[in-house]
Amino acid sequence: MRTKIQRVNPKKPELTKIREAAKLIRSGGVVAFPTETVYGLGADALNARAVKKIFVAKGRPSDNPLIVHISDEDDLAKLAVDIPNVMKKISRRFWPGPLTVVLKKSKIVPKITTGGLDTVAIRMPENFIATLLIREAHTPIAAPSANYFGRPSPTTAEHVLEDMDGRIGLILDGGSTKIGIESTVIDLTAKTPILLRPGGVSVEQLQKELGKIKIHPVLRGKKAKIVYRSPGMKYKHYSPDAQVILVEGSESKVSQKIIRLTRELKKQQKRVGIVCITKARYNADAIKIVGPSYQKFAASLFGVFREFDSKKIDVILVQAVPKKGIGLGIMNRLEKAAYKKIKAR
Ligand code: AMP
Ligand code: MG
C-alpha cells in the first residue's frame, strides 16, 4: 500500500481534502489525522471491519480499547447509555478539548472498538481538521494514537509516516500538535469519577469543576492484583529505543547528578542524550531544552524521543517535573518510558 500525505491548512482546512479523507473513512478505510493532543489513526467507529484495520496497522493487542471521537454532542446519546448528569457540566467546560470520558456503551458500538468492554471512551476534539473530518464522515471516528504499538505517540505527520509508511493509505498533515501528550481519561461509570490517565486537562481543573475525583491506584504506582479498568494501563508505552533514566530532585542537585551520570556513561562508550528544562553546563551527544514552561515540555517530549532515536542515542537522561498541572501527565508518560528512576541527592 502506498501512503499518501495530504497537507491541510490547520486554520482553514480545505474542504475538498477533508471530504476525500471522509470518503475513505466512510468506505471502511483508515486515515491518520491531527488532533490537539497527538495524531490519531482513525476509522469508522461503528464499522467492526474498519476498526479491525486500525488494530492491524498499529500492531495493537485487541483488548486495548480505542477512543471514539465525535464532533457533535448529540452523538453522545447514540454511543452511550446511563449518562450521568455530571456529563453536562463536563462537556460545557471541557469540550471540545483533551478530555475523554468512559461511559456505558450503547448497542451500536461494536465490541472491537471497546476492546471487548461494555464501556466506551468518548472525546470531542478541538482540532479543526479533526472535527471537520468527523463531521464530513457522518460517523464517529475511533482513533488511537497513530504510532506503531509501543512507540512514542506521533506529534507530527512525519512521525506518523515513520511508523505507518505502507501500512495505511492516507495521512492528513496539519503540522505539529498543540498539546503533545494524549487526552486525560476519566471513568464516569462509578459514583465518583475515576482518573484513568492524566493528560491535557489537569486533575486540578477537574477537581475545580467536579469536586471529588478518585485517582486510579495504578497511577499511584500500585501494580499487583488490581482489576484493570483501563486495559491500556497494563501495556508498556511511549518508549524510545534508547534507555530512559528519569532524574528527580531539586534543580541544582539534578543537574549535578546528570553531569556525573553523563561522565560515567561516556566512559562506558554510551551515546548520551539529555532532556532538561533549563540550560546547564552539560556535555553530551545531544541536548534538548524543553522548557521553561511545562506546556512546552509536553509538546516536545515525544518528538525528542524520536529525534534521539534517530541520532542513535543509547541513554536519555531526563529531568523530572513536579506532578502538578500538566506535569502529572508528563511524569506518567516518562515513568512508563523509563528504564529506571533516580533520586538526585
Ligand atoms: P490511545 O488510543 O493510545 O490514546 O489510548 C486510549 C486509552 O484510553 C486506552 O489505552 C485505555 O487506557 C483508555 N480507554 C479507552 N476505552 C476505554 C474504556 N472503555 N474503559 C477504560 N479505558 C478506556
Ligand atoms: Mg497510544
Side-chain angles (χ1 to χ4, degrees):
M1 190 187 305
R2 262 208 58 194
T3 304
K4 177 177 162 184
I5 302 184
Q6 180 68 270
R7 260 182 184 286
V8 182
N9 183 338
K11 294 207 179 84
K12 256 172 61 193
E14 300 84 347
L15 212 50
T16 48
K17 296 178 181 175
I18 299 289
R19 287 200 172 129
E20 188 195 318
K23 213 167 119 191
L24 213 86
I25 298 270
R26 279 213 67 79
S27 65
V30 176
V31 174
F33 63 97
T35 80
E36 67 275 24
T37 58
V38 300
Y39 272 73
L41 200 58
D44 180 350
L46 307 181
N47 175 345
R49 282 179 58 180
V51 172
K52 177 94 208 290
K53 292 181 193 166
I54 296 178
F55 285 93
V56 172
K58 195 175 155 76
R60 180 165 174 146
S62 60
D63 67 343
N64 198 348
L66 309 179
I67 293 171
V68 178
H69 296 75
I70 59 174
S71 63
D72 187 325
E73 222 174 300
D74 292 344
D75 289 337
L76 197 60
K78 294 178 199 152
L79 300 169
V81 296
D82 303 343
I83 300 171
N85 284 332
V86 68
M87 190 59 226
K88 276 200 204 76
K89 240 187 190 173
I90 292 174
S91 59
R92 204 184 315 130
R93 171 71 179 81
F94 298 109
W95 277 4
L99 181 69
T100 299
V101 294
V102 171
L103 295 164
K104 231 174 135 197
K105 83 171 194 71
S106 74
K107 287 212 176 70
I108 65 164
V109 184
K111 280 261 167 149
I112 184 166
T113 303
T114 65
L117 300 169
D118 349 327
T119 52
V120 58
I122 305 173
R123 174 163 101 87
M124 188 191 290
E126 187 194 16
N127 180 289
F128 208 16
I129 296 173
T131 46
L132 278 178
L133 180 66
I134 302 162
R135 197 190 76 191
E136 291 299 316
H138 302 292
T139 184
I141 295 182
S145 48
N147 52 286
Y148 195 78
F149 181 67
R151 298 257 299 142
S153 296
T155 54
T156 66
E158 290 75 28
H159 297 162
V160 179
L161 190 68
E162 269 173 30
D163 288 11
M164 291 296 148
D165 197 8
R167 306 183 70 86
I168 59 171
L170 180 64
I171 301 171
L172 295 181
D173 179 358
S176 297
T177 62
K178 190 172 80 184
I179 295 172
I181 59 171
E182 302 84 347
S183 61
T184 301
V185 182
I186 49 168
D187 183 352
L188 298 181
T189 62
K191 217 157 145 206
T192 310
I194 306 169
L195 179 77
L196 299 180
R197 177 173 78 183
V201 168
S202 72
V203 171
E204 293 84 351
Q205 283 172 296
L206 287 171
Q207 280 165 337
K208 207 168 147 204
E209 204 65 28
L210 311 177
K212 196 169 173 239
I213 67 163
K214 285 186 189 157
I215 310 287
H216 194 285
V218 167
L219 295 179
R220 287 193 264 107
K222 300 252 161 35
K223 274 198 194 94
K225 285 186 257 162
I226 299 285
V227 179
Y228 289 101
R229 253 176 202 283
S230 192
M233 286 176 155
K234 72 184 174 198
Y235 294 108
K236 195 171 148 74
H237 269 83
Y238 322 116
S239 311
D241 296 333
Q243 264 181 0
V244 175
I245 299 178
L246 191 53
V247 188
E248 290 180 310
S250 70
E251 186 97 6
S252 64
K253 289 269 174 5
V254 167
S255 70
Q256 285 164 22
K257 184 79 187 176
I258 289 180
I259 289 170
R260 283 201 301 275
L261 281 170
T262 309
R263 230 179 269 139
E264 283 166 30
L265 289 160
K266 291 308 292 174
K267 265 190 215 146
Q268 299 163 32
Q269 312 295 320
K270 303 272 192 214
R271 283 177 62 76
V272 179
I274 296 172
V275 181
C276 51
I277 295 145
T278 47
K279 215 172 153 173
R281 283 181 297 107
Y282 298 131
N283 185 6
D285 299 283
I287 299 169
K288 203 84 191 180
I289 300 163
V290 292
S293 79
Y294 297 141
Q295 262 69 29
K296 197 166 160 219
F297 194 153
S300 329
L301 179 64
F302 290 137
V304 172
F305 280 173
R306 284 178 181 264
E307 187 187 322
F308 281 11
D309 273 350
S310 72
K311 290 185 171 153
K312 302 274 176 271
I313 296 296
D314 300 302
V315 183
I316 305 177
L317 304 173
V318 189
Q319 181 177 359
V321 298
K323 290 182 173 174
K324 275 189 301 199
I326 194 144
L328 186 67
I330 295 172
M331 285 298 284
N332 170 264
R333 307 313 188 268
L334 284 174
E335 282 171 355
K336 283 192 178 201
Y339 147 81
K340 67 176 171 189
K341 211 160 67 169
I342 293 179
K343 272 231 158 39
R345 294 177 212 282

